[in-house]
Amino acid sequence: MIRAAAFNQGKFPTITFVNLAKASLEVDLKKLVAALEKQLERDFVPIWGYPAKLQVADKPKPDEWQIVFLDDSDAADALGYHDLTKDGQPVSKVFVKSTVAAGEKVSVTASHELLEMLIDPGAQMWAQGSNSLFYAYEMCDAVEDGEYEIDGIAVSNFVYPSFFESWHKPRSVRFDHLNKVSRPFQTLKNGYQIVSNGSAAREIFGSRHKERHFHEVEDRTMHRSEYRKRIANVRAARVNPPVALVTETGLAGDTRTPRAAVLHHAGRLLTELAAVVDPLPGGDPFELARRRPQSRVVDPLPGGDPFEL
């Protein structure tokens, strides 16, 4: 039985790398972890501010996060690996055979998973763009074809916090480590991102080539991106009636404005509060309001935005 998520409880994590793959990693695991430690300390932590202790072990302790190397998603399923350990800690999976078959490096994939896991271990954070879409708070997806070497070992490019800040003008600040991105929320040619309009989540791609490669070559089964989409869509289905899916150019057929969405959720909240808070025991929770004389709606800023205050 898996306990509820137990991470981010007042201390920086220890992340244990466990190799259960029969296929070759094509890199020495201890040297890989040493390179990843250097990437964190030298490149990542000064920008993002989230350190971690990395180690290699066969049996992680209950309070340790895990990055597990497996042959493929079938092996993960057979061994009972999910999105959390049985002790409620996050676990990321690197599928060795699938990675190599897709023409990618295991070391870059491990770096990618480490950096994204460290910032958003629950795969649940989103950033709102200027186009009213929400972008998954993933450090490497948009720039995932970029890599550089540390002590001869390839590691992943990653975005900076400014990447998720829509007010920056193009080329006004640095948006990623390798300085390939020129504006907020940009998807590079061989990258992708998950976006949501609050009612559905899907991928957008930097090119048609990447889209074909993503669907036809890459194995995303049991990947954290699939977990993120699944959770986002389940939550949206509970709150909103079905509306159009997100497209690469925006929303198709969604007539709910952001203001209408706010009012919709506020109304639901008031209804739920009324169900549990009764100012007149045994009576109608809205009875007090109905006893008062009706008053007209007052606009504190006539002709202006009611959310301006």
Side-chain angles (χ1 to χ4, degrees):
M1 181 176 180
I2 298 177
R3 293 171 51 194
F7 44 88
N8 280 352
Q9 296 189 2
K11 64 178 182 179
F12 294 118
T14 294
I15 303 178
T16 300
F17 290 72
V18 182
N19 183 17
L20 299 179
K22 296 178 181 178
S24 171
L25 304 185
E26 300 186 344
V27 63
D28 181 82
L29 181 55
K30 290 185 178 180
K31 290 182 179 179
L32 169 58
V33 172
L36 295 178
E37 280 187 320
K38 184 175 289 188
Q39 183 184 29
L40 285 187
E41 294 173 4
R42 187 191 71 187
D43 303 333
F44 193 76
V45 173
I47 301 300
W48 282 98
Y50 288 87
K53 177 184 176 182
L54 309 184
Q55 64 181 20
V56 178
D58 294 328
K59 294 183 179 180
K61 295 179 180 178
D63 63 343
E64 293 173 354
W65 300 10
Q66 298 179 30
I67 292 182
V68 184
F69 296 88
L70 299 147
D71 283 331
D72 49 36
S73 57
D74 290 337
D77 189 50
L79 293 171
Y81 276 89
H82 303 284
D83 301 295
L84 295 174
T85 70
K86 63 182 179 64
D87 297 296
Q89 303 300 331
V91 54
S92 286
K93 299 168 285 289
V94 177
F95 299 130
V96 177
K97 286 185 177 180
S98 304
T99 297
V100 174
E104 300 164 357
K105 297 183 179 73
V106 172
S107 63
V108 175
T109 301
S111 171
H112 181 137
E113 294 300 318
L114 169 65
L115 302 184
E116 294 190 333
M117 177 194 216
L118 193 55
I119 297 300
D120 184 13
Q124 60 190 359
M125 295 171 62
W126 300 80
Q128 186 172 11
S130 58
N131 55 2
S132 297
L133 295 182
F134 290 88
Y135 291 75
Y137 212 67
E138 301 282 4
M139 307 301 102
C140 304
D141 288 349
V143 297
E144 69 174 9
D145 67 326
E147 62 182 61
Y148 62 104
E149 289 192 354
I150 295 179
D151 297 332
I153 294 177
V155 297
S156 177
N157 187 19
F158 59 91
V159 300
Y160 283 15
S162 54
F163 179 86
F164 299 104
E165 297 166 350
S166 60
W167 59 85
H168 293 295
K169 294 181 179 180
R171 304 189 186 282
S172 60
V173 297
R174 192 163 184 164
F175 295 104
D176 69 301
H177 185 68
L178 295 181
N179 206 20
K180 301 291 186 180
V181 176
S182 61
R183 65 182 186 276
F185 299 108
Q186 179 184 1
T187 308
L188 294 186
K189 182 178 179 181
N190 289 315
Y192 83 103
Q193 294 190 75
I194 299 174
V195 296
S196 173
N197 63 356
S199 298
R202 58 157 290 181
E203 299 91 358
I204 58 173
F205 301 91
S207 64
R208 293 295 183 188
H209 170 76
K210 173 61 180 179
E211 183 175 8
R212 288 194 299 270
H213 193 271
F214 183 94
H215 291 301
E216 298 173 8
V217 180
E218 300 175 24
D219 182 4
R220 295 283 168 167
T221 307
M222 298 188 73
H223 190 269
R224 62 179 271 130
S225 61
E226 295 303 307
Y227 172 78
R228 177 188 289 278
K229 283 195 304 177
R230 184 170 70 251
I231 295 301
N233 287 332
V234 167
R235 288 175 178 169
R238 290 175 180 171
V239 175
N240 300 318
V243 295
L245 287 174
V246 178
T247 68
E248 292 189 31
T249 56
L251 306 183
D254 186 356
T255 58
R256 179 182 295 165
T257 65
R259 182 177 302 173
V262 170
L263 294 175
H264 169 78
H265 293 299
R268 286 180 59 88
L269 176 61
L270 289 174
T271 301
E272 292 175 5
L273 285 175
V276 296
V277 179
D278 187 353
L280 296 173
D284 184 343
F286 292 105
E287 184 174 346
L288 284 179
R290 281 196 287 269
R291 288 180 181 179
R292 298 191 182 98
Q294 293 292 325
S295 60
R296 64 184 181 88
V297 176
V298 178
D299 184 355
L301 296 171
D305 184 349
F307 292 94
E308 186 173 342
L309 288 179

